[in-house]
Amino acid sequence: MKIVLQRVTSASVKVDGEIIGQIEQGFLLLFGVGHEDTEEDCRRLGDKIIGLRIFSDENDKINLNLESVGGSILVVPQFTLYADCRKGNRPNFIQAAKPDEANRLYEYFVDYLRSKGQHVETGSFGADMKVQLLNDGPFTIILE
């Protein structure tokens, strides 16, 4: 599982020109699933994301988590995180999970975050999405 986490002041995702997911302060997660990924990986990374202390406190120290700032999460499925560009100029996606399994784990991950009390908005699996964000910092973390 690969997740690109961006701390944002706002983010949204559109499909066919219509906003289907939108948040203010929080995390934009680009979410990719590989062949070996499991529900346990979803829970482990979900807990890590919820607990990450990457928001500034009153002393301008990076010390607060998502709950402390009342933040939300926008999760966008993105199989291209598994692009392999080592050979040639056209990436291959052999390491990405098959669509049915990737979608199942994507939905599981979103449901897990919600079960932990998080406000979660989503993209649309398999759709052509337009993602807009205002990265705060910028602050970007890659989780595997």
Side-chain angles (χ1 to χ4, degrees):
M1 197 161 292
K2 294 183 181 184
I3 296 174
V4 175
L5 178 152
Q6 296 184 73
R7 186 180 73 184
V8 298
T9 56
S10 64
S12 65
V13 60
K14 290 182 181 181
V15 173
D16 295 327
E18 181 178 330
I19 294 175
I20 63 166
Q22 183 172 9
I23 64 167
E24 295 303 320
Q25 182 179 37
F27 297 149
L28 169 64
L29 306 179
L30 304 177
F31 182 86
V33 179
H35 291 294
E36 305 296 320
D37 294 330
T38 66
E39 292 176 358
E40 174 58 31
D41 295 321
C42 291
R43 293 188 297 270
R44 180 180 52 80
L45 287 174
D47 290 340
K48 173 62 77 176
I49 289 163
I50 292 167
L52 277 177
R53 298 180 349 180
I54 62 171
F55 293 94
S56 296
D57 63 16
E58 65 279 355
N59 298 316
D60 207 27
K61 295 213 181 243
I62 298 173
N63 202 27
L64 301 177
N65 66 14
L66 195 61
E67 184 179 357
S68 298
V69 299
S72 300
I73 302 171
L74 174 58
V75 186
V76 175
Q78 189 169 353
F79 79 96
T80 61
L81 293 177
Y82 277 89
D84 183 350
C85 299
R86 291 177 292 181
K87 295 182 182 177
N89 293 320
R90 174 182 271 175
N92 76 58
F93 301 99
I94 294 169
Q95 297 304 313
K98 299 287 184 210
D100 288 347
E101 179 63 5
N103 188 39
R104 184 185 76 76
L105 287 176
Y106 170 71
E107 295 293 338
Y108 182 89
F109 180 74
V110 167
D111 289 344
Y112 182 76
L113 291 174
R114 288 178 175 152
S115 77
K116 294 293 188 172
Q118 302 303 305
H119 174 252
V120 180
E121 298 280 322
T122 62
S124 180
F125 192 90
D128 179 20
M129 295 174 281
K130 307 300 180 205
V131 179
Q132 189 171 19
L133 67 134
L134 184 56
N135 193 313
D136 181 17
F139 208 123
T140 303
I141 297 174
I142 298 171
L143 301 167
E144 295 186 67

